[in-house]
Amino acid sequence: MAVKVKSREILQMVTAYPLGKSVFDLQKEMGLASIINLSEIENVFGCSPFVKNHLTHQLDHLFTYPDGSARLLSAKLAEFLNVKSDRLFIGNGSDEIIRLLLRAFLNAGDEAVMAEITFPRYKTNVTIEGGRPVLVPLIDGTHDLDGMLASITEKTKLIFVCNPNNPTGTIVEKKKLEDFISKVPEHILVVLDEAYYEYAVNDEYLQSVPYLKKYSNLVILRTFSKVYGLAGLRIGYGLMDPFIAEELNKVKEVFNVNQLAQAAAISALDDQEFRVECVERNEEGKQFLGNELTKMGYTFFPTHANFMMIHTGQPGDVVRNELLKNGILVKSGSALGYPDAIRVTISSMQDNHYFIKCLKNIESGNGGIS
């Protein structure tokens, strides 16, 4: 029987996020003993041992609701970041905070400016809320801040800057971003999505937190999903003016962040040695891949994250499928705005070496690895 209940008209403009097949399903389908998953931009080194130890002590309390205000985590983060706790908002991943910002501040017909190729959930959620996404093309994989300023109209309510940008890994130069923030009218929210903040060790990367006191319209998003290795628990946070945080509290679910996620994030902050080690290993892998790819004649965007967008010179779908035959799963650029590219998570040195070996064999026409 056909469903006669009609969904919202705006959903005719929205497609579900393409999750694709699971790694387990692909293993069975391809007859592979294992798959190295380099497609999801996860921290392949896992999470801190502190987290695993702490979580075992939380299992006796699963019958209780979590703290809806995440007070302990907020206090810990406030001390760690040297901000007041009323500037913090804890979310079910930074994805949730994006949704809540739009729910709280975007009226139907309002506009939100963003890069044409960036984290796709900005556009999707703006559309769902009845707003209009205004897309500005990248320049060499980097945000065109002048173009974004020129796109501001009387209907503009938010501007998203993903820095480092997903899927290119590029950053906006410090001075350019400072100037940009200062030029955006104060009634427009500037949302800096810094999901890969910890990986951006370049001196040209803007340390944005001090600017919160000067610009009340600035919102900074960060996450525990990346360098802290807690993607499976879904927890992130935003830094913002207390007024903005209070408005988000009006539209969030009461218990939006589960108990285990809060406990894990607190423990993760206690182990900064693990974070530093992950960044150092990522830098080592990035250097190796960059050198090898350059020797092979491939080009790629200069990345400041834990992934690389590599221009393959042939359809990304083809390269992705050939790599999968050898047990390596990468993201084809066809779904990311770069059809002749692949996006690859920087992994352990063993996996990085194997990836390069497979790529060389594909290039030489010998797709199989003996």
Side-chain angles (χ1 to χ4, degrees):
M1 180 182 294
V3 176
K4 295 183 179 180
V5 180
K6 300 296 183 183
S7 60
R8 292 172 57 200
E9 289 185 10
I10 199 67
L11 293 188
Q12 304 308 309
M13 302 172 61
V14 176
T15 56
Y17 187 86
L19 292 171
K21 299 177 182 178
S22 70
V23 171
F24 177 73
D25 287 338
L26 286 171
Q27 277 183 234
K28 290 179 62 178
E29 181 181 307
M30 304 292 294
L32 297 167
S34 64
I35 288 179
I36 300 169
N37 188 1
L38 305 182
S39 69
E40 294 296 340
I41 325 184
E42 297 155 336
N43 183 352
V44 299
F45 306 115
C47 65
S48 163
F50 285 25
V51 171
K52 298 174 185 178
N53 182 59
H54 192 179
L55 289 186
T56 61
H57 300 297
Q58 298 295 314
L59 299 181
D60 291 335
H61 304 284
L62 295 185
F63 67 96
T64 65
Y65 285 106
D67 178 1
S69 298
R71 293 176 182 87
L72 290 178
L73 176 56
S74 293
K76 188 84 172 180
L77 268 173
E79 180 183 8
F80 181 69
L81 298 169
N82 193 27
V83 299
K84 293 184 177 180
S85 58
D86 62 359
R87 286 191 175 274
L88 287 162
F89 183 90
I90 311 300
N92 191 292
S94 52
D95 299 40
E96 185 201 26
I97 306 176
I98 293 167
R99 289 197 306 275
L100 295 178
L101 283 167
L102 294 166
R103 180 185 292 181
F105 291 97
L106 193 78
N107 296 302
D110 284 347
E111 295 176 350
V113 177
M114 64 198 72
E116 184 177 28
I117 299 176
T118 190
F119 185 50
R121 301 307 290 175
Y122 309 145
K123 179 182 177 181
T124 300
N125 284 297
V126 168
T127 302
I128 290 172
E129 294 297 331
R132 176 175 173 262
V134 178
L135 310 182
V136 179
L138 298 174
I139 297 178
D140 296 328
T142 304
H143 283 70
D144 176 9
L145 297 183
D146 290 336
M148 298 178 88
L149 286 172
S151 298
I152 293 174
T153 72
E154 70 278 0
K155 294 183 178 180
T156 305
K157 202 61 173 290
L158 301 94
I159 301 178
F160 289 97
V161 178
C162 189
N163 192 45
N165 186 42
N166 178 9
T168 59
T170 56
I171 62 170
V172 180
E173 292 178 11
K174 183 189 303 184
K175 183 65 169 63
K176 290 182 179 179
L177 188 52
E178 288 175 337
D179 292 344
F180 173 79
I181 295 170
S182 70
K183 291 175 181 177
V184 174
E186 61 184 4
H187 65 277
I188 297 172
L189 289 180
V190 178
V191 183
L192 296 184
D193 189 345
E194 298 183 346
Y196 305 94
Y197 160 77
E198 288 85 0
Y199 292 109
V201 295
N202 189 288
D203 289 340
E204 273 302 315
Y205 188 76
L206 179 69
Q207 298 302 315
S208 55
V209 172
Y211 292 83
L212 288 167
K213 292 181 180 179
K214 186 174 182 181
Y215 300 104
S216 62
N217 60 331
L218 179 62
V219 175
I220 302 165
L221 304 182
R222 293 182 183 171
T223 183
F224 287 93
S225 293
K226 304 304 177 184
V227 78
Y228 289 107
L230 301 182
L233 287 174
R234 309 306 305 126
I235 183 162
Y237 61 96
L239 298 117
M240 60 199 73
D241 186 89
F243 166 76
I244 298 174
E246 189 54 41
E247 294 302 286
L248 297 191
N249 278 315
K250 294 178 182 179
V251 297
K252 81 176 184 73
E253 298 301 323
V254 178
F255 304 114
N256 62 322
V257 180
N258 73 72
Q259 187 183 112
L260 295 181
Q262 292 185 39
I266 291 170
S267 297
L269 288 172
D270 281 332
D271 193 355
Q272 290 302 309
E273 288 185 9
F274 177 81
R275 175 190 64 81
V276 171
E277 179 186 345
C278 289
V279 172
E280 289 176 346
R281 294 178 74 177
N282 185 74
E283 286 294 299
E284 179 186 15
K286 180 168 66 176
Q287 186 69 34
F288 168 77
L289 289 175
N291 290 340
E292 292 298 314
L293 291 166
T294 299
K295 285 189 283 188
M296 294 170 65
Y298 286 102
T299 60
F300 47 89
F301 291 120
T303 185
H304 299 268
N306 62 330
F307 60 88
M308 299 180 75
M309 178 67 83
I310 303 165
H311 305 288
T312 58
Q314 56 182 309
D317 288 346
V318 172
V319 179
R320 181 253 188 202
N321 293 337
E322 289 298 315
L323 287 169
L324 184 55
K325 293 176 184 178
N326 295 285
I328 294 181
L329 180 60
V330 301
K331 191 83 167 180
S332 170
S334 63
L336 304 172
Y338 293 97
D340 292 339
I342 54 173
R343 191 190 65 193
V344 180
T345 303
I346 299 169
S347 189
S348 66
M349 290 306 295
Q350 179 179 343
D351 290 349
N352 292 334
H353 276 277
Y354 183 63
F355 165 71
I356 290 296
K357 180 180 179 180
C358 291
L359 202 58
K360 286 179 177 178
N361 275 270
I362 292 170
E363 186 182 56
S364 66
N366 300 318
I369 302 294
S370 58

